[in-house]
Amino acid sequence: MTEKLPKGSRITGEGRQDLAASLVERYNRGESIRSMAEDIGRSYGFVHGVLAEQGVTMRTRGGATRGAAAEARRAALKENRS
């Protein structure tokens, strides 16, 4: 779990770059935008915006459901529950 960010605070510079890198990594492992937003105490829109700024290709609604991507998603979710 990531430390919750102060509500309403601006995240700029190196802090934003670090947060963006972390969010991109988590998203690429299969974690949902909604769960990341809840984890860091920010909105879905904020997390989505950060990922979009980084040029991430968004998954279709419902996430990965088949193949290797689905396995990675399930493993990431299982890891996060531990």
Side-chain angles (χ1 to χ4, degrees), residues 26-80:
R26 291 170 67 179
Y27 187 77
N28 287 337
R29 285 192 319 227
E31 192 168 344
S32 72
I33 294 174
R34 197 161 311 283
S35 70
M36 290 188 289
E38 184 177 323
D39 187 38
I40 65 170
R42 289 294 175 134
S43 70
Y44 176 98
F46 174 84
V47 174
H48 186 278
V50 169
L51 293 172
E53 286 172 9
Q54 298 301 308
V56 172
T57 300
M58 301 298 172
R59 294 187 296 266
T60 58
R61 207 169 156 192
T65 58
R66 295 189 183 142
E71 286 302 317
R73 180 174 183 239
R74 283 191 284 275
L77 292 173
K78 186 176 183 180
E79 179 181 310
N80 289 335

Side-chain angles (χ1 to χ4, degrees), residues 5-18:
L5 302 170
K7 193 168 192 133
S9 65
R10 286 207 165 276
I11 302 162
T12 59
E14 192 175 318
R16 188 174 182 94
Q17 291 172 343
D18 292 344

